[in-house]
Amino acid sequence: MLSDETNASLRSFTQSITEAIVLAVERARDNGQLKADTPLEDLAFLLINLVDSSSVFAQDAGNFERLEQFFNAFSHVVLSVYTVEPATEPSHKAVMEP
């Protein structure tokens, strides 16, 4: 029922999201934000599908609260397993000698 132009636009969106998420996961690994044993392809796959299904959460709830809850749950359950806690930056307070 969709026009060829609409179908092409949807494919383009999906391809753009896929490329952006794969790049983001690779950058997170390269920046040391992900553990060495992180299954990058699986993580990217989950994130891509999470984004693709986001409209369902917002549409069903009529707002973005359920979507935010879903992203938070994903972060707590999945991302927390593979993310590396950022190192605490040292305090830059000057210490005065007596």
Side-chain angles (χ1 to χ4, degrees):
M1 302 216 34
L2 299 176
S3 69
D4 290 342
E5 183 180 347
T6 302
N7 280 320
S9 178
L10 287 172
R11 280 191 303 277
S12 174
F13 172 78
T14 299
Q15 183 62 32
S16 295
I17 290 299
T18 298
E19 291 169 2
I21 290 174
V22 167
L23 179 62
V25 168
E26 289 172 350
R27 279 195 180 162
R29 176 206 53 211
D30 295 345
N31 290 336
Q33 295 170 309
L34 294 174
K35 294 178 182 176
D37 66 340
T38 302
L40 299 180
E41 290 180 15
D42 291 339
L43 180 57
F45 177 78
L46 290 172
L47 289 167
I48 290 162
N49 284 284
L50 192 147
V51 170
D52 277 343
S53 63
S54 293
S55 64
V56 174
F57 285 93
Q59 182 179 4
D60 288 349
N63 59 45
F64 293 104
E65 289 176 24
R66 190 87 170 141
L67 180 60
E68 184 176 4
Q69 182 182 11
F70 186 75
F71 274 102
N72 286 335
F74 180 84
S75 179
H76 291 135
V77 173
V78 177
L79 293 182
S80 65
V81 174
Y82 295 107
T83 54
V84 176
E85 292 294 323
T88 307
E89 294 187 26
S91 173
H92 296 291
K93 293 180 182 176
V95 177
M96 299 194 59
E97 304 226 0

